[in-house]
């Protein structure tokens, strides 16, 4: 090759590692905006009711989001990878029904935990096998299993309810670890950290992003795409099982309508947290803040005696709003550029 | 100009100095975050003339096309049509002003008829407001005749080949009575015969007085069909004039800003022991009985026509698809490759032809693209170590002279040539024994091309075995120690040393026997 090219090479300019430092990134992030919303809701709530700032009251407020958030963490990873699981609420119903059934046969708490987690894993494996094994679209598969799993609960329970859970089982949904810190809230905090590490600090987490951005490119780069997706369905099922244990423990009873409609709230939480519904991007801190926002909004509505149906309308609008927002913002920016 | 001697002068007056441009751009600037894509560029197009726009990837060619078609709004500068200043706030405005662009991937509809494709959005209507199918077919036929295309306007688009689809796109451009036609690498994926037809078409459009902006990386065609040239480099206009006043080396020098002799790197064959042996690889539909041996330090070229099964075979070798029969030996030991991850573990890596869809993980930063197959080495106990990833990326991208704003920039923001450098860097970081390059320099600029070629030679010299699929004869001849020619899924011939001539390659690929000549 000509020497001039070699000279150019010798004089190669160094490409810097980063364009913007982490602080600059944070200042331009969705998470910061969301944090602002969280603070605003918090302030509004404290004006709406004089009791809101009471520590025990705040502690109660966390139950509005902890169980859903446990599922949302796993769901965030699944959505980033380009899949979705709409059967999570039905997995709770099935897992709770299985636990209730076991209680009738005299099962003790350790066995109940294993059953709850086991049913969650099995349901996740079923979804994952259909999606990765047969190559079916997850949105269709999990709409199907959403009906299937809850349908089984209805057949087993009819209009009955299972009660009579052992008294030590109540700890998971009603127990406190220290002062106002409930077991559920501690679990939420620990899981938030574990999932953040999993997604942001491990090779597996990196693979999740790669698969979500370009599944074909991921395969060619040596990532075992089906294995990653299957693992994520398992994880989502497992976390639904965990949520089933907490919720069942908190309610002390199982009805087939348990956690009805939660899949929508979980997905809304994930998308509000800045996860791209089409896959490829999103963070766990975003989902954590979104959990607080949704929990406090729900609680604030409760303080103001807003009826449940309005709550449902609000969740629907919120979901559409956060999906539409980036697109609207993009248009505004484009218009300003032009 | 050869072309101007063929009676076209009768239709249109010859080029004169006082001719007014139909379109002129003055002082156009356009920036994106961190990059000045265009900096006060100017461009003039003349009626009945072809202006070739040349420049390396990333020089600003596509940006100017987007400015001309109303997709981007320039921050500064003026666009004038026939001397009247205009703006194109939307793509429709550009269309109304008579500007049309024919891209590689012009959006056409497979399930609609040719006529419907041509008139979509502006179909002739009956007095009841319904589409007048008869009128539409007739006008489509007229348009197709005008460009010399013998296509039935009532067949579905999906039944046409790629070249004919192109003609439909051109007919569609003409149907809105464009005065300015932009052709963005129109011959990039066409066969020899189809390319000739495209040239004839350009001549017809010229004869009709259209002003044509012709973007191409191929110098032979620029000198064949263009009347004028404009050269962009790093977002600036660095030269313009009449083609007859410029030589090929001059044009290349303007383009790259340095003299690049288009000679391939000088290599001394340095073949070591056999590293890969493929025996009887077959696939039910794509290829049959492929076998060869590859040695350390060797560059083995695979030549053939499009559709000869070369890429399909390479994908099977890399484990993306599975062969129905056949075996592989690596370092004389039987290896089974059922997935890319197994291929990578055996030291075989693959740079795919479709850079955008298969090679680059767009949406992720450069350093994550590079470290992807090497995560096992950069991480510890499954935990990422970003510092290691950056170090690895710096090491390998520097050797390839990557041009980027930062290593955490989205790979999707890079030019094609630089994306390719990132993809090659990512594979080299795995320290492979065999690297398969599928059309490694397709659609990338001369500067990047030379960098890739030089790097390939360097790799071979260091003992890497290189398999290169290429449809460019100069590249195959210039780089390979040995060439396997594939035809219709089988190995048609193998050439080495003095046997390696362009004529032999072309004959073997086309299935013309030596004796018959």
């Amino acid at each position: 090759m000509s020497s001039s090219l070699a000279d150019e090479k010798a004089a190669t300019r160094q490409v810097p590692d980063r364009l913007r430092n982490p602080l600059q990134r944070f200042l331009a992030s969705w998470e910061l905006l969301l944090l602002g919303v969280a603070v605003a809701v918090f302030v509004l709530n404290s004006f709406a009711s004089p009791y809101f700032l009471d520590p025990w009251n705040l502690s109660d407020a966390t139950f509005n989001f902890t169980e859903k958030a446990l599922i949302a963490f796993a769901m965030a990873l699944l959505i980033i990878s380009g899949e979705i699981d709409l059967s999570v609420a039905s997995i709770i119903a099935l897992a709770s029904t299985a636990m209730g059934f076991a209680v009738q046969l005299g099962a003790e708490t350790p066995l109940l935990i294993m059953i709850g987690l086991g049913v969650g894993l099995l349901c996740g494996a079923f979804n994952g096998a259909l999606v990765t094994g047969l190559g079916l679209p997850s949105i269709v598969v999990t709409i199907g299993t959403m009906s299937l799993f809850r349908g089984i609960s209805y057949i087993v329970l009819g209009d009955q309810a299972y009660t009579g859970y052992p008294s030590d089982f109540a700890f998971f949904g009603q127990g406190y670890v220290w002062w106002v810190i409930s077991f559920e809230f501690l679990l939420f905090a620990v899981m938030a950290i574990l999932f953040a590490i999993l997604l942001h600090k491990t090779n597996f987490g990196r693979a999740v992003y790669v698969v979500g951005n370009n599944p074909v490119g991921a395969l060619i780069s040596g990532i075992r795409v089906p294995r990653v997706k299957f693992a994520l369905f398992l994880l989502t099922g497992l976390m639904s099982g965990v949520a089933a244990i907490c919720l069942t423990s908190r309610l002390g009873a199982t009805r087939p309508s348990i956690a009805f409609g939660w899949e929508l709230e979980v997905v809304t939480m994930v998308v509000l947290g800045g996860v791209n519904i089409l896959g490829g991007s999103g963070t766990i801190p975003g989902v954590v803040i979104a959990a607080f926002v949704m929990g406090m909004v729900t609680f604030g509505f409760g303080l103001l005696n807003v009826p449940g149906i309005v709550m449902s309308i609000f969740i629907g609008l919120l979901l559409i709003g956060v999906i539409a927002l980036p697109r609207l913002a993009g248009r505004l920016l484009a218009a300003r550029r032009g | 100009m050869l072309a101007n001697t063929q009676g076209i002068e009768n239709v249109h007056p010859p080029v004169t100095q006082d001719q007014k441009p139909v379109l002129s751009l003055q002082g156009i600037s356009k920036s994106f975050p961190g990059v000045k894509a265009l900096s006060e560029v100017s461009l003039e197009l003349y009626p009945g003339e072809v202006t070739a726009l040349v420049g390396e990837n990333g020089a600003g060619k596509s940006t100017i096309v987007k400015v001309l078609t109303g997709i981007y709004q320039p921050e500064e500068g003026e666009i004038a049509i026939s001397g009247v200043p205009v703006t194109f706030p939307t793509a429709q405005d550009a269309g109304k002003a008579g500007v049309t662009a024919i891209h590689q991937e012009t959006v056409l509809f497979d399930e609609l008829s040719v006529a419907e494709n041509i008139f979509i959005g502006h179909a002739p209507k009956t007095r009841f407001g319904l589409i007048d199918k008869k009128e539409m077919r007739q006008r489509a036929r007229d348009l197709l005749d005008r460009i010399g295309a013998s296509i039935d306007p009532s067949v579905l688009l999906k039944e046409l080949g790629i070249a004919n689809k192109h003609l439909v796109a051109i007919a569609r451009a003409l149907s809105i009575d464009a005065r300015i036609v932009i052709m963005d690498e129109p011959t990039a994926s066409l066969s020899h015969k189809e390319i000739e037809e495209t040239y004839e078409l350009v001549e017809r459009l010229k004869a009709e007085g259209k002003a044509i902006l012709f973007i191409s990386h191929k110098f032979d065609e620029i000198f064949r069909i263009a009347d004028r040239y404009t050269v962009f480099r790093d977002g600036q206009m660095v030269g313009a004039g009449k083609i007859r006043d410029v030589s090929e080396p001059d044009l290349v020098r303007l383009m790259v800003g340095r003299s690049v002799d288009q000679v391939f790197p000088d290599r001394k064959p340095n073949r070591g022991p056999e590293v890969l042996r493929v025996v009887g690889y077959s696939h039910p539909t794509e290829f049959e009985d492929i076998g060869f041996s590859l040695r350390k330090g060797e560059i083995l070229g695979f030549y053939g026509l499009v559709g000869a099964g070369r890429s399909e075979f390479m994908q099977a070798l890399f484990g993306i698809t599975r062969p129905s029969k056949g075996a592989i030996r690596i370092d004389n030991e039987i290896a089974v490759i059922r997935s890319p991850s197994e291929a990578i573990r055996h030291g075989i890596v693959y740079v795919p032809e479709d850079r955008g869809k298969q090679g680059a993980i767009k949406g992720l930063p450069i350093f994550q693209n590079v470290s992807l197959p090497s995560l096992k080495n950069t991480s510890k106990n499954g935990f990422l170590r970003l510092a290691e990833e950056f170090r690895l990326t710096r090491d390998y991208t520097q050797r390839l002279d990557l041009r980027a704003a930062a290593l955490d920039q989205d790979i999707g923001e890079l030019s094609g040539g630089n994306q390719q450098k990132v993809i090659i860097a990512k594979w080299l970081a795995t320290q492979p024994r065999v690297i398969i390059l599928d059309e490694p320099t397709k659609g990338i600029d001369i500067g990047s091309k030379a960098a890739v070629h030089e790097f390939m030679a360097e790799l071979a010299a260091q003992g890497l075995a290189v398999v290169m699929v290429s449809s460019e004869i100069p590249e195959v001849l210039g780089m390979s120690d040995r060439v396997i020619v594939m035809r219709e899924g089988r190995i048609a011939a193998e050439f080495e040393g003095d046997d390696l001539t362009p004529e032999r390659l072309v004959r073997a690929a086309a299935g013309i026997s030596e004796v018959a000549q």
Side-chain angles (χ1 to χ4, degrees):
Chain A
M1 205 61 238
S2 69
S3 61
S4 62
L5 195 67
D7 291 347
E8 281 255 327
K9 259 196 157 175
T12 301
R13 45 207 136 144
Q14 173 100 34
V15 178
D17 283 358
R18 293 180 191 278
L19 205 55
R20 294 181 301 165
N21 64 41
L23 182 69
Q24 284 170 315
R25 267 169 189 276
F26 177 68
L27 290 178
S29 69
W30 174 260
E31 285 78 3
L32 183 67
L33 186 73
L34 207 55
L35 207 56
V37 174
V39 170
V41 175
F42 192 83
V43 170
L44 280 177
N45 273 353
S46 60
F47 279 113
S49 161
Y51 310 109
F52 178 72
L53 286 176
D54 175 69
W56 284 102
N57 188 51
L58 286 177
S59 172
D60 281 351
T62 61
F63 286 103
N64 274 315
F65 62 82
T66 43
E67 291 141 7
K68 289 164 201 157
L70 291 174
I71 308 173
F73 296 147
M75 183 77 88
L77 269 62
L78 195 59
I79 293 181
I80 291 171
S81 84
E83 302 291 344
I84 197 167
D85 184 349
L86 294 176
S87 71
V88 286
S90 299
I91 296 177
I92 293 182
L94 192 58
S96 184
T97 304
M99 287 188 288
F101 187 76
V103 166
Q104 312 310 307
L105 302 177
E108 291 298 317
T109 299
L111 183 61
L112 293 182
I113 302 294
M114 286 200 287
I115 289 172
L117 299 180
V119 171
L121 275 176
L122 279 177
C123 292
F126 187 64
N127 284 332
L130 286 173
V131 172
T132 60
L134 297 178
L136 302 174
S138 58
I139 190 152
V140 179
V141 165
T142 59
I143 283 178
T145 52
M146 175 168 88
S147 242
L148 172 70
F149 297 153
R150 196 178 288 277
I152 296 172
S153 289
Y154 271 107
I155 286 176
V156 174
L157 274 166
D159 55 356
Q160 301 288 302
Y162 284 134
T163 51
Y165 285 93
S167 56
D168 57 353
F169 185 70
F171 177 73
F172 303 104
Q174 302 173 24
Y176 287 83
V177 186
W178 175 73
W179 190 40
V180 295
I181 306 296
S182 65
F183 171 78
E184 272 198 22
F185 188 77
L186 180 71
L187 186 64
F188 161 81
V190 170
M191 283 298 170
I193 293 166
L194 289 181
F195 271 89
I197 291 172
L198 180 66
L199 180 59
H200 301 298
K201 300 287 176 199
T202 68
N203 291 355
F204 180 80
R206 178 66 59 74
V208 171
Y209 283 109
V210 174
V211 170
N213 275 296
N214 185 345
V216 180
L219 188 78
I220 288 180
S221 302
I223 290 183
R224 281 163 288 196
V225 177
R227 209 181 280 195
V228 170
K229 288 189 171 176
F230 188 78
L232 290 176
F233 276 105
L234 268 188
L235 194 58
T236 309
L238 180 69
M239 291 311 287
S240 303
V242 173
I245 293 167
C246 292
L247 181 62
T248 307
S249 157
R250 185 156 65 89
L251 300 175
T254 300
R255 289 176 201 282
S257 62
I258 187 171
F260 191 81
W262 275 28
E263 65 283 325
L264 196 67
E265 288 183 57
V266 169
V267 171
T268 306
M269 198 179 275
V270 170
V271 176
L272 180 66
V275 174
N276 185 342
I277 190 73
L278 302 173
S281 65
T283 68
I284 291 298
V287 177
V288 171
I289 305 169
F292 275 101
V293 170
M294 282 185 62
M296 282 194 294
V297 168
T298 318
F299 197 70
F301 278 15
L303 289 174
L304 297 171
N305 283 322
V306 174
I309 189 70
V310 176
M311 197 56 225
S312 159
I313 291 173
F314 174 77
I315 295 287
L317 288 176
L318 189 65
L319 181 57
I320 296 169
V322 287
I323 294 174
L325 204 63
R327 201 153 290 188
L328 288 174
R331 276 199 196 155
L332 271 177
L333 278 178
R336 207 192 293 168
R337 259 186 229 136
Chain B
M1 275 306 303
L2 284 170
N4 268 357
T5 60
Q6 300 168 349
I8 285 150
E9 281 155 48
N10 304 338
V11 185
H12 207 79
V15 179
T16 50
Q17 285 302 331
D18 48 83
Q19 199 181 5
K20 292 258 182 341
V22 58
L23 177 103
S24 89
L25 301 180
Q26 293 296 334
I28 298 282
S29 296
K30 174 79 194 168
S31 315
F32 297 104
V35 216
K36 188 132 198 183
L38 292 175
S39 170
E40 294 180 27
V41 300
S42 48
L43 174 69
E44 292 183 337
L45 300 180
Y46 295 84
E49 288 193 8
V50 175
T51 303
L53 178 58
V54 290
E56 296 190 87
N57 283 337
K61 292 175 311 214
S62 1
T63 312
I64 198 84
V65 170
K66 287 182 178 161
V67 166
L68 275 174
T69 49
I71 295 164
Y72 288 162
Q73 307 303 319
E75 282 120 25
E76 288 168 41
E78 192 184 84
I79 307 175
I81 288 191
S82 310
V84 184
V86 289
T87 56
F88 301 145
T90 69
Q92 281 88 340
D93 296 309
K96 273 184 212 140
V99 181
T100 187
I102 300 159
H103 298 281
Q104 277 282 298
E105 58 276 19
T106 302
V107 183
L108 292 172
F109 304 91
D110 267 348
E111 296 294 333
L112 297 182
S113 74
V114 167
E116 284 165 328
N117 266 289
I118 293 174
F119 286 103
I120 201 144
H122 56 279
K125 302 270 168 66
T126 65
R127 62 201 151 100
F128 302 113
L130 301 172
I131 289 173
D132 188 342
K133 290 216 167 169
K134 221 173 119 193
E135 170 74 13
M136 186 167 75
R137 265 203 296 280
Q138 187 51 49
R139 278 166 55 183
R141 188 164 291 130
D142 293 346
L143 277 170
L144 290 167
D145 284 348
R146 227 167 97 196
I147 59 172
S150 53
I151 302 171
D152 178 358
S154 51
V155 302
L156 293 186
L157 189 84
K158 66 179 174 191
E159 287 165 30
L160 302 184
I162 179 161
N164 277 338
K165 282 185 181 170
H166 222 76
L167 291 174
V168 172
I170 291 166
R172 179 166 155 194
L174 294 177
S175 73
I176 58 168
D177 209 25
R179 283 184 294 167
I180 295 140
V181 180
I182 301 163
M183 302 176 90
D184 195 352
E185 291 198 59
T187 61
S189 49
L190 300 184
S191 73
H192 189 69
K193 181 166 163 284
E194 293 162 343
I195 289 172
E196 285 300 321
E197 286 167 4
T198 308
Y199 294 161
E200 278 171 35
L201 180 70
V202 171
E203 293 297 341
R204 277 170 197 258
L205 294 177
K206 266 173 73 169
E208 290 188 9
K210 312 277 184 210
I212 298 162
L213 182 65
F214 194 91
I215 299 173
S216 174
H217 279 123
K218 299 180 186 168
F219 279 82
D220 53 342
E221 74 182 19
I222 291 167
F223 279 91
R224 190 168 151 187
I225 64 164
D227 304 292
R228 291 170 186 271
Y229 66 91
T230 294
V231 184
F232 278 17
R233 185 172 75 225
D234 296 334
Q236 290 178 314
M237 205 271 293
V238 292
K242 301 239 175 82
I243 278 285
R244 61 165 175 256
D245 302 333
V246 73
S247 71
E248 190 175 313
D250 288 342
L251 209 51
V252 172
R253 214 166 294 133
L254 274 175
M255 228 175 102
V256 297
R258 57 177 186 262
S259 87
V260 174
D261 30 331
Q262 281 184 285
V263 177
F264 290 90
D266 202 13
R267 302 184 45 235
K268 289 178 208 74
N270 172 31
R271 288 188 243 182
E274 176 184 278
V275 52
L276 173 73
R277 173 178 287 277
V278 178
V279 185
Y281 244 50
S282 302
H283 182 278
T285 52
E286 303 297 343
F287 52 85
E288 179 77 39
D289 196 23
I290 306 294
F292 62 90
S293 146
L294 181 69
R295 292 156 69 179
K296 266 185 92 159
E298 183 179 39
I299 300 183
L300 173 62
F302 268 77
Y303 181 73
L305 300 177
V306 171
R310 292 171 298 162
S311 295
E312 289 77 7
F313 165 68
M314 296 305 162
Q315 287 174 6
L317 188 56
F318 185 59
I320 299 173
T321 54
R322 292 208 196 159
S324 57
K325 259 194 308 194
I328 301 177
R329 279 172 172 275
I330 294 170
D331 289 339
N332 221 3
E333 274 177 43
I334 293 223
V336 181
I337 294 177
R338 286 163 304 191
S339 70
S341 61
E342 286 181 343
I344 295 164
R345 217 176 306 136
H346 280 113
I348 299 178
V349 300
Y350 174 68
V351 177
E353 179 182 0
D354 191 342
R355 201 163 40 236
K357 288 204 187 98
Q358 306 187 335
I361 313 287
K362 290 182 186 170
L364 289 189
I366 292 166
F367 79 93
Q368 294 188 8
N369 268 277
V370 172
S371 62
L372 187 52
S374 310
L375 278 181
K376 234 176 262 151
N377 298 322
T378 60
S379 64
K380 200 173 177 186
N381 304 325
F383 286 90
L384 299 168
R385 290 188 299 182
L386 292 190
E388 289 295 306
E389 290 181 43
F390 276 116
R391 193 189 53 73
L392 188 82
T393 309
R394 251 180 275 130
D395 279 2
Y396 283 92
T397 53
Q398 243 169 45
R399 291 163 64 186
L400 281 150
D401 190 20
L402 175 78
R403 314 231 169 145
L407 297 181
D408 69 347
Q409 191 183 6
D410 183 345
I411 189 175
E413 293 171 7
L414 301 181
S415 69
N418 280 311
Q419 285 185 15
Q420 189 73 317
K421 289 177 191 172
V422 173
I423 294 162
I424 293 177
K426 120 176 157 180
W427 287 127
L428 292 180
T430 66
Q431 301 184 323
R433 278 180 290 184
V434 178
I435 185 166
I436 305 166
L437 298 151
D438 199 347
E439 304 282 2
T441 62
K442 185 179 173 186
I444 73 177
D445 58 87
I446 285 198
S448 299
K449 241 182 199 178
V452 170
H453 286 151
E454 198 185 4
F455 203 66
M456 274 168 69
E458 212 178 296
L459 294 175
Q462 288 167 9
L464 190 67
V466 180
V467 176
M468 178 187 69
V469 175
S470 174
S471 301
E472 281 184 46
I473 289 189
E475 183 172 69
V476 173
L477 293 174
M479 294 305 303
S480 315
D481 297 312
R482 195 152 59 93
V483 177
I484 287 176
V485 179
M486 278 182 72
R487 183 167 60 83
E488 290 171 3
R490 290 170 171 275
I491 291 183
E494 188 175 327
F495 301 107
E496 194 171 354
D498 293 339
D499 289 345
L500 203 44
T501 66
E503 296 75 28
R504 287 210 162 101
L505 285 183
V506 171
R507 272 196 222 129
I512 307 164
S513 72
E514 300 262 343
V515 190
Q517 290 292 308

